[in-house]
Amino acid sequence: MTGSPKHLHIDRDMCEAHALCIEIAPEIFDLAADDIATCEENPPEELWPRALSAISACPRQAIRLVETPARLPPRSPKGT
């Protein structure tokens, strides 16, 4: 899913290491040495349903889906 306009983000200040995300999607989430969750920001398309389940399950709502608006192609100069 490289180049996708959506990606995962974990708010490190909100994460309390409940690790429900890891139980739901261990292919995407892990705990760092400081016991704060980390994630693969751009998981493969087939893992997005599990990523969304982990977002819903997070008791602190520390995981979120970030969608980047698609970029418009550059406009050509007038008269060309």
Side-chain angles (χ1 to χ4, degrees):
M1 174 170 241
T2 304
S4 171
K6 64 183 178 182
H7 66 272
L8 295 172
H9 173 76
I10 296 177
D11 184 331
R12 295 183 53 81
D13 293 329
M14 301 249 334
C15 179
E16 293 180 340
H18 293 275
L20 295 176
C21 55
I22 297 166
E23 289 181 28
I24 294 168
E27 308 89 346
I28 301 171
F29 299 93
D30 199 2
L31 284 183
D34 60 0
D35 286 336
I36 300 296
T38 62
C39 70
E40 170 63 42
E41 290 185 0
N42 296 300
E45 190 64 39
E46 65 271 11
L47 293 179
W48 273 100
R50 294 176 76 182
L52 296 175
S53 292
I55 290 170
S56 296
C58 182
R60 294 284 294 147
Q61 299 179 349
I63 310 166
R64 61 186 164 110
L65 173 67
V66 178
E67 295 192 60
T68 307
R71 291 188 177 178
L72 297 174
R75 296 191 316 174
S76 60
K78 288 185 179 181
T80 61

